[in-house]
């Protein structure tokens, strides 16, 4: 199939516009709104996936009028839009933006919101369908939901729907995640709750399911008989930037593992769902997360590695140590790197280690899942230098170079038998072009159409926290003694390499 054929096949089903509705953004003056949410809505409108009966109400503490809010977002779009802005389309969207200043703890704000929403419904035909996007600090999540409940703004009746999208972090450990689930479930039914994980908005992450279950050839070998181990790398070059305050409380384990990395594990390892209906998919994801064997305290010591970056060189420039970043304690014990060896206790994956690593200030920005297969029997090639041959490896490149590659052995041309390793590589951009997006389009659209497949259910969030709970406990009890233990611009502490070397393996070189 040529690239053109691939694209036209994909465009045959562009999708119906979302339901008429109002998106209410709590925390609308913050970064997420201007960087992601508004550009994503614009892209949806451009692709005709936004209903003509649509509006946005921003709520935040900053004193601003609706006119100022529209003007501000118009300016922000100049910086954050992913495509050239069509002035007519922006004007259409701009006229549908409203702003309500107020404190999220003040009950009067919710009464004002109700009045404003009635007016917006009348002016824009949005039919009382609302989804609330909680882009606030997590301390407000439960409180906002409670107020929405008290004002009747969460009640679904007469065919109107009311949904709530909750940003991460959802809790800071298992107990607080459970408590939050309990609190919000007093007001909302599970079908109204959309716990967002922006990794599920990435095309390549969604493609894991398509790759595995829309092709007949991979599933038969996707198991312990053929797979030696799995490596998941989520490497970032950035440091903590201006987020020192948050990061000191969170650390890499909380920030990345119970959410983004757990999603990658569950999609890679889950059983085929019985349908692509939201709960069927999420049942299988939850099952995998529950099958991850909790580490014992002794195992934490050998299977969980933590690191913190010191000063180092990145792209030829000297960068400061984590402890010298703004709002970070000079003796901080917060980790900026984590490597783990996890096991999934089920028939498909018994004895297949899943190695994960993620961190800040690593040498390149790369997110990928590498499935390494067992070696072929070597008998045929006894007299050739096969010991140096890399085993077959399938790599799902999540970002930045989106694609899939398969490494296999091939004969090096010539009179003697020599084997080389080659890659068969598919790159999204070669087939489908690269359509810039914020990664939030699909998630917002799904919420407007009531499809929760790509959102986390309560049990998934809790299972994600259960995976890291024993590690959090041990690390809290035993503060690190060797921080900082890797230089910025390197692949983490030595112990991360030893984690694999002990098993006779090594990390895939992910440098570009
Ligand atoms: C966020 C984390 O959820 O994900 C950040 O809080 C991290 O620390 C980011 O940088 C990574 O997302 P992406 O899409 O850049 O891989």
């Amino acid at each position: 199939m040529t690239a053109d054929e691939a694209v036209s096949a994909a465009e045959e089903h562009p999708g119906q516009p979302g339901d008429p509705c109002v998106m209410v953004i709590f925390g609308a003056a913050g970064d997420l709104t201007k960087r992601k949410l508004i550009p994503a809505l614009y892209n949806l409108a451009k692709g005709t996936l936004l209903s003509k009966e649509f509006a946005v109400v921003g709520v935040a503490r900053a004193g601003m009028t609706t006119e100022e809010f529209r003007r501000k977002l118009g300016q922000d779009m100049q910086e954050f839009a992913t495509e050239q802005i069509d002035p007519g389309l922006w004007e259409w969207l701009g006229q549908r933006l409203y702003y309500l200043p107020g404190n999220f703890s003040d009950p009067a704000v919710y009464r004002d919101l109700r009045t404003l929403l009635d007016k917006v419904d009348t002016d824009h035909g949005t039919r009382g369908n609302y989804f609330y996007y909680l882009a606030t600090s997590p301390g407000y999540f439960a409180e906002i939901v409670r107020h929405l409940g008290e004002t009747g703004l969460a009640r679904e009746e007469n065919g109107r729907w009311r949904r709530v999208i909750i940003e991460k972090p959802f809790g800071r450990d298992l107990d607080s995640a459970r408590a939050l689930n309990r609190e919000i479930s007093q007001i909302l039914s599970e079908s109204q709750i959309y716990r967002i994980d922006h990794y599920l908005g990435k095309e390549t992450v969604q493609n894991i399911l398509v790759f595995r279950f829309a092709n007949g050839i991979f599933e038969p070998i996707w198991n312990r008989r053929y797979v030696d181990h799995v490596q998941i790398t989520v490497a970032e070059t950035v440091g903590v930037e201006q987020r020192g305050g948050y990061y000191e409380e969170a650390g890499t384990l909380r920030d990345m593992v119970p959410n983004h990395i757990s999603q990658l594990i569950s999609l890679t390892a889950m059983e085929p769902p019985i349908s692509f209906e939201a709960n069927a998919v999420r049942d299988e994801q939850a099952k995998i997360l529950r099958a991850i064997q909790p580490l014992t305290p002794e195992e934490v010591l050998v299977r969980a590695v933590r690191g913190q970056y010191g000063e180092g060189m990145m792209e030829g420039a000297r960068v400061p140590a984590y402890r010298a970043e703004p709002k970070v304690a000079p003796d901080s014990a917060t980790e900026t790197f984590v490597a783990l060896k996890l096991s999934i206790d089920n028939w498909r994956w018994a004895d297949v280690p899943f190695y994960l690593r993620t961190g800040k200030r690593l040498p390149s920005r790369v997110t990928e899942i590498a499935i390494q297969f067992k070696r072929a029997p070597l008998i045929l090639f006894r007299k050739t230098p096969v010991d140096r041959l890399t085993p077959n490896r399938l790599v799902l490149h999540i970002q930045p170079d989106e694609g899939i590659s398969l490494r296999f052995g091939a004969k090096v041309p010539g009179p003697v038998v020599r084997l080389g390793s080659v890659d068969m590589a598919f790159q999204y951009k070669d087939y489908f072009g690269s359509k810039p997006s914020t990664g939030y389009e699909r998630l917002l659209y799904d919420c407007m159409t009531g499809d929760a497949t790509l959102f986390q259910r309560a049990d998934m969030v809790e299972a994600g926290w259960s995976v890291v709970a024993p590690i959090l406990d041990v690390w809290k009890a035993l503060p690190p003694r060797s921080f900082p233990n890797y230089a910025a611009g390197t692949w983490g502490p030595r112990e991360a390499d030893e984690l694999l070397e002990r098993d006779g393996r090594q990390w895939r070189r992910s440098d570009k």
Side-chain angles (χ1 to χ4, degrees):
M1 188 183 266
T2 65
D4 283 348
E5 284 165 350
V7 173
S8 59
E11 281 175 352
E12 265 167 34
H13 304 287
Q16 296 294 319
D19 292 357
C21 61
V22 184
M23 173 178 184
V24 180
I25 308 174
F26 286 92
D31 260 16
L32 189 72
T33 304
K34 67 177 182 194
R35 284 175 190 271
K36 304 286 183 187
L37 302 182
I38 300 296
L41 290 173
Y42 176 86
N43 290 347
L44 284 175
K46 186 158 186 195
T48 64
L49 289 174
L50 205 57
S51 167
K52 296 275 172 264
E53 283 97 30
F54 177 77
V56 174
V57 173
V59 186
R61 262 166 307 193
M64 228 186 316
T65 63
T66 285
E67 273 318 310
E68 285 164 343
F69 185 57
R70 291 177 181 175
R71 242 192 337 268
K72 173 186 164 325
L73 289 177
Q75 282 157 7
D76 293 335
M77 276 294 279
Q78 302 296 331
E79 192 177 345
F80 299 114
T82 59
E83 311 198 17
Q84 181 85 26
I85 304 170
D86 167 349
L89 187 58
W90 173 252
E91 193 185 325
W92 179 86
L93 187 58
Q95 283 166 356
R96 283 164 175 73
L97 305 176
Y98 296 84
Y99 186 74
L100 179 68
N103 183 325
F104 308 136
S105 306
D106 178 2
V109 171
Y110 299 84
R111 290 195 291 272
D112 293 347
L113 177 61
R114 203 176 49 197
T115 311
L116 177 57
L117 285 170
D118 282 344
K119 177 179 160 6
V120 171
D121 277 339
T122 313
D123 291 354
H124 296 286
T126 39
R127 305 188 200 174
N129 295 329
Y130 309 142
F131 70 106
Y132 306 97
Y133 198 117
L134 309 193
T136 65
S137 76
Y140 286 115
F141 293 166
E143 190 174 3
I144 293 174
V145 169
R146 200 175 59 242
H147 284 299
L148 291 174
E150 282 163 4
T151 352
L153 284 169
R155 200 177 315 126
E156 297 193 312
E157 54 191 0
N158 306 327
R160 302 167 173 162
W161 54 256
R162 305 280 160 89
R163 298 173 187 143
V164 180
I165 300 187
I166 305 184
E167 262 296 333
K168 80 177 262 267
F170 196 95
R172 68 181 315 275
D173 53 23
L174 181 57
D175 287 346
S176 54
R178 277 189 181 142
L180 183 54
N181 274 331
R182 243 190 336 265
E183 278 183 84
I184 60 177
S185 69
Q186 285 167 8
I187 313 285
L188 303 166
S189 67
E190 184 59 36
S191 64
Q192 292 177 280
I193 307 172
Y194 288 66
R195 297 173 193 80
I196 204 164
D197 183 316
H198 81 278
Y199 261 58
L200 291 175
K202 295 183 193 289
E203 284 291 343
T204 37
V205 173
Q206 292 166 24
N207 190 44
I208 300 172
L209 286 185
V210 175
F211 179 76
R212 289 189 56 199
F213 301 129
N215 295 296
I217 60 171
F218 302 110
E219 216 34 39
I221 54 169
W222 209 260
N223 58 50
R224 66 190 302 272
R225 254 185 100 181
Y226 299 97
V227 176
D228 179 73
H229 72 279
V230 176
Q231 290 185 16
I232 298 182
T233 298
V234 181
E236 298 186 90
T237 51
V238 289
V240 288
E241 302 178 305
Q242 300 313 311
R243 300 167 72 222
Y246 156 75
Y247 217 78
E248 280 285 89
E249 290 296 313
T252 301
L253 186 66
R254 285 190 171 91
D255 189 42
M256 299 297 288
V257 180
N259 33 63
H260 309 324
I261 293 187
S262 294
Q263 298 294 343
L264 299 180
I265 300 177
S266 67
L267 294 172
T268 306
M270 68 191 256
E271 294 300 316
I274 54 164
S275 77
F276 273 99
E277 189 270 322
N279 276 332
V281 174
R282 299 189 298 176
D283 284 347
E284 297 304 335
Q285 286 185 274
K287 257 165 49 189
I288 276 293
L289 295 176
R290 282 200 298 271
I292 297 177
Q293 217 179 329
L295 299 183
T296 62
E298 292 73 28
E299 283 170 337
V300 170
L301 301 178
V302 284
R303 287 177 169 218
V305 174
R306 55 185 152 168
Q308 185 194 75
Y309 62 84
E311 195 186 49
M313 298 293 287
M314 304 270 322
E315 290 178 353
R318 184 150 293 282
V319 296
Y322 174 70
R323 288 177 176 179
E325 302 275 16
K327 300 202 190 129
V328 170
D331 57 350
S332 170
T334 302
E335 79 283 355
T336 60
F337 175 96
V338 171
L340 302 177
K341 175 182 173 184
L342 298 178
S343 311
I344 297 178
D345 254 4
N346 67 11
W347 276 54
R348 187 191 281 261
W349 296 114
D351 301 325
V352 178
F354 278 64
Y355 300 102
L356 328 170
R357 63 177 164 168
T358 180
K360 304 267 185 209
R361 286 285 190 225
L362 302 184
S364 54
R365 174 170 182 255
V366 50
T367 299
E368 61 174 36
I369 302 164
I371 320 285
Q372 179 138 330
F373 292 92
K374 294 185 173 164
R375 281 177 197 276
L378 302 181
I379 303 142
L380 270 182
F381 302 104
R382 205 169 272 147
K383 297 208 178 101
T384 59
V386 282
D387 53 316
R388 274 182 282 127
L389 197 68
T390 324
N392 294 131
R393 187 158 52 201
L394 182 85
V395 183
L396 307 175
H397 302 268
I398 306 292
Q399 61 188 18
D401 298 321
E402 290 86 357
I404 295 173
S405 62
L406 177 66
R407 170 154 289 203
F408 57 94
K411 180 179 173 300
V412 178
V416 286
V417 179
R418 281 197 303 128
L419 301 187
S421 288
V422 296
D423 278 323
M424 205 153 67
F426 148 74
Q427 290 235 314
Y428 272 79
K429 62 175 172 0
D430 296 344
Y431 278 81
F432 304 112
S434 58
K435 197 155 185 250
S437 87
T438 62
Y440 279 71
E441 288 79 357
R442 166 85 194 264
L443 298 173
L444 295 179
Y445 175 74
D446 282 359
C447 183
M448 293 179 210
T449 53
D451 181 350
T453 313
L454 297 178
F455 292 85
Q456 300 208 76
R457 220 169 44 188
D459 55 342
M460 292 165 67
V461 172
E462 292 179 15
W465 279 116
S466 301
V467 171
V468 297
I471 308 172
L472 288 172
D473 289 346
V474 172
W475 284 1
K476 188 170 169 207
L478 300 174
R481 278 177 298 184
S482 57
F483 279 5
N485 58 355
Y486 70 100
T490 65
W491 281 104
R494 177 80 202 111
E495 291 89 325
D497 294 327
E498 288 164 4
L499 180 70
L500 270 72
E501 283 162 12
R502 274 201 297 274
D503 298 343
R505 302 185 173 108
Q506 53 188 350
W507 291 108
R508 181 180 125 76
R509 282 202 52 163
S510 302
D511 308 63
K512 288 282 156 303

